[in-house]
Amino acid sequence: MTDNAPSTSDEVSTPLLRSVHTTSVPALLADSGLSLLVTTYQAEKLVILRNDAGVLNTHFRAIRRPMGLAVDSGRLAVGCATEVCEFHDVPAVCKKLDASEDYPTQQANHDACFLPRWSSCTGDVQIHELAWADSGPGERDLVFVNTAFSCLAVRSANYSFEPIWRPPFISKLAPGDNCHLNGLAIRDGRVRYVTALGTTDTPAGWRENKRDGGVLLDVATNQVIAAGLCMPHSPRWYRGKLWVLESGDGTLGTVALDTGEYHAVAQLPGFTRGLSFWGPFAFVGLSQVRESATFSGIPLVDRLAQAEDRHCGVWIIHLETGETVGFCRFESGVEEIFAVEVLAGMRFPEVVNHDAELIGRSYVLDERSLQDVPAELRDSAESPPGRLPSHTQNR
């Protein structure tokens, strides 16, 4: 096991952020050509986990209350406190990072750089999960879980959001967090499944029965597929199975579509929330969760009565055996995780939201406009790459 030291300017300003990891984590990332994105709204950080010469580099970027993540075709969307922020990968900027003394790393070989492109102000709608979904021939919309209004929504140029679906038991559009709608899964390009912590239609009504009031819903049919779940999160359709995290029991499992039966594949030492896949592996976010009105009376707290027995970080689970093959555990500064997302084909990415000078001198132009840029200046201009494979299979 290796102790991770702070590695970025963001971490220097917050020295209490510390983590440890098994050596298997950077090895797996290196062998698979991956990196991971993690959000922690509690610490208000976006965390990039990447292999750096055999050591796991935990790279922090400050973002205001980040929650859901969505990656698709060179685009990264982050659901934040009052907005959805969208970043685009601009590979040409990697040369600037490698040449700058402001970005010292052992590897010094960035292969992706996400720059801010635009943001959509939603107001405080408690954005949870989000994902790009097919909306027409060649078109994709970013769909997000609007937890405050108990609905699914898309961004709008003129309004805070545009609601597109809500559960059949929600009678009106109002900011009451009636059922704590929280997760969504993509199947065949469309949003197909969602999770909620209850079927109540009163403000915060789900809190009264959080131990076994959770449900998994089919958006296409408006039917409840599975009920009696303890605080379910992060539904995903992967390799022909419907996966979900029963967070209140700290488990990863599958749901049978015909019977609604939940089968736990792995039981983990934390509140499971945030899930992504690659090959035979599941990357699961764990939150420590302290005793509070929200988390009291759930099986996880009964099973791990001492707070120090509940961990926060990312655990890697083998899907066939349910065994843990590695983990990155946050020792201080980070106690709750919301989202985990695999970045395929990106070994050492960067997300830039803190460097106004770098953003100010990095330009993205369309192919036609690039023809009018002198050849010697084209290294500092970039057309949209669209080179990151779609991650819809992870949802």
Side-chain angles (χ1 to χ4, degrees), residues 158-293:
N158 300 310
Y159 310 107
S160 296
F161 59 88
E162 180 184 341
I164 60 171
W165 179 88
R166 66 177 187 259
F169 47 80
I170 298 296
S171 60
K172 58 182 70 70
L173 194 67
D177 183 16
N178 291 8
C179 65
H180 204 73
L181 195 69
N182 60 55
L184 79 168
I186 298 290
R187 180 178 178 182
D188 299 327
R190 303 272 185 173
V191 178
R192 182 63 187 270
Y193 308 107
V194 296
T195 46
L197 300 195
T199 57
T200 49
D201 193 23
T202 56
W206 59 272
R207 293 178 181 272
E208 297 179 6
N209 188 28
K210 59 182 177 291
R211 189 178 182 97
D212 58 7
V215 293
L216 181 67
L217 293 153
D218 188 326
V219 172
T221 65
N222 282 339
Q223 298 298 309
V224 173
I225 299 174
L229 301 174
C230 184
M231 305 187 81
H233 285 81
S234 312
R236 303 287 186 266
W237 181 259
Y238 185 67
R239 291 188 168 183
K241 293 182 179 181
L242 180 55
W243 298 81
V244 71
L245 300 176
E246 192 171 26
S247 308
D249 198 21
T251 62
L252 161 71
T254 59
V255 170
L257 295 179
D258 54 348
T259 66
E261 181 181 359
Y262 175 77
H263 170 68
V265 172
Q267 189 173 62
L268 303 168
F271 187 86
T272 47
R273 182 174 53 193
L275 176 62
S276 193
F277 296 95
W278 182 261
F281 302 110
F283 298 82
V284 184
L286 267 64
S287 295
Q288 190 171 13
V289 302
R290 302 286 181 177
E291 286 78 0
S292 66

Side-chain angles (χ1 to χ4, degrees), residues 269-271 287-292 300-312 329-331 334-335:
F271 187 86
S287 295
Q288 190 171 13
V289 302
R290 302 286 181 177
E291 286 78 0
S292 66
L300 173 68
V301 174
D302 295 341
R303 173 165 59 90
L304 301 173
Q306 302 301 315
E308 56 267 27
D309 295 329
R310 302 190 293 270
H311 299 298
C312 175
R329 183 177 68 233
F330 293 104
E331 297 283 271
V334 180
E335 296 176 356

Side-chain angles (χ1 to χ4, degrees), residues 75-158:
R75 300 176 294 179
L76 164 65
V78 185
C80 305
T82 57
E83 63 186 333
V84 176
C85 296
E86 185 171 326
F87 300 79
H88 289 188
D89 178 25
V90 186
V93 179
C94 294
K95 299 176 184 178
K96 300 178 183 180
L97 300 178
D98 292 344
S100 173
E101 294 181 356
D102 295 331
Y103 297 87
T105 66
Q106 298 176 42
Q107 183 164 308
N109 187 21
H110 295 85
D111 57 2
C113 181
F114 288 93
L115 296 182
R117 184 52 50 217
W118 67 296
S119 66
S120 176
C121 182
T122 60
D124 186 4
V125 298
Q126 300 177 35
I127 296 172
H128 278 55
E129 289 198 332
L130 36 76
W132 267 284
D134 294 342
S135 57
E139 299 292 331
R140 293 170 70 76
D141 279 338
L142 186 67
V143 180
F144 62 89
V145 178
N146 182 330
T147 301
F149 284 81
S150 306
C151 69
L152 297 180
V154 295
R155 296 174 293 183
S156 171
N158 300 310

Side-chain angles (χ1 to χ4, degrees), residues 17-70:
L17 295 171
R18 287 186 60 253
S19 63
V20 297
H21 68 272
T22 58
T23 56
S24 56
V25 177
L28 190 152
L29 296 182
D31 292 344
S32 304
L34 307 175
S35 55
L36 298 175
L37 294 179
V38 180
T39 58
T40 165
Y41 60 89
Q42 163 261 327
E44 297 203 315
K45 303 291 184 185
L46 172 68
V47 189
I48 310 173
L49 303 182
R50 53 197 189 181
N51 170 57
D52 192 354
V55 177
L56 187 66
N57 178 279
T58 50
H59 191 62
F60 293 82
R61 285 284 170 249
I63 294 182
R64 189 173 171 225
R65 209 174 77 204
M67 297 278 278
L69 293 170

